[in-house]
Amino acid sequence: MYAGQHIGGCGFATQETDFVVALSNQTWESSRESKQPNSPSKFCGAEVLVTNQQTGMSIKAWVTEHCAYCVGACVSVFRFLSSRMRNMGKN
């Protein structure tokens, strides 16, 4: 593992500059491949489209993690992706 890498709940090594998202804990738990402790979600590696509601511009991201603090069907957007989303459409 390299500096700046993180291994999420899906088991993928990602860097802070990767376009990745985390599922809410509720979604993660209901989509586990098995009921074994620490089993991954069936959504691991799924491509999702994250859209900036203000500009309508979108970026593709991948599910790699779960978010213990997220509620419902939301996803948590990682810091680098969040920054890119805020700056989309700005010159």
Side-chain angles (χ1 to χ4, degrees):
M1 191 156 94
Y2 298 98
Q5 278 190 324
H6 169 77
I7 297 181
C10 292
F12 304 133
T14 61
Q15 296 183 21
E16 58 189 37
T17 55
D18 292 336
F19 291 171
V20 295
V21 296
L23 296 176
S24 70
N25 226 28
Q26 178 183 357
T27 301
W28 181 274
E29 291 297 324
S30 67
S31 66
R32 288 178 128 179
E33 292 180 351
S34 77
K35 298 303 174 192
Q36 296 296 323
N38 301 319
S39 65
S41 164
K42 66 181 177 183
F43 295 117
C44 283
E47 182 179 271
V48 295
L49 195 61
V50 181
T51 303
N52 181 323
Q53 295 289 308
Q54 294 177 337
T55 66
M57 297 181 82
S58 300
I59 294 178
K60 291 179 185 176
W62 289 265
V63 175
T64 62
E65 182 65 278
H66 63 95
C67 174
Y69 304 104
C70 300
V71 178
C74 73
V75 296
S76 175
V77 177
F78 285 61
R79 185 176 301 144
F80 181 74
L81 179 57
S82 177
S83 173
R84 290 292 301 266
M85 293 296 294
R86 279 193 307 275
N87 293 318
M88 285 174 28
K90 293 182 180 179
N91 293 330

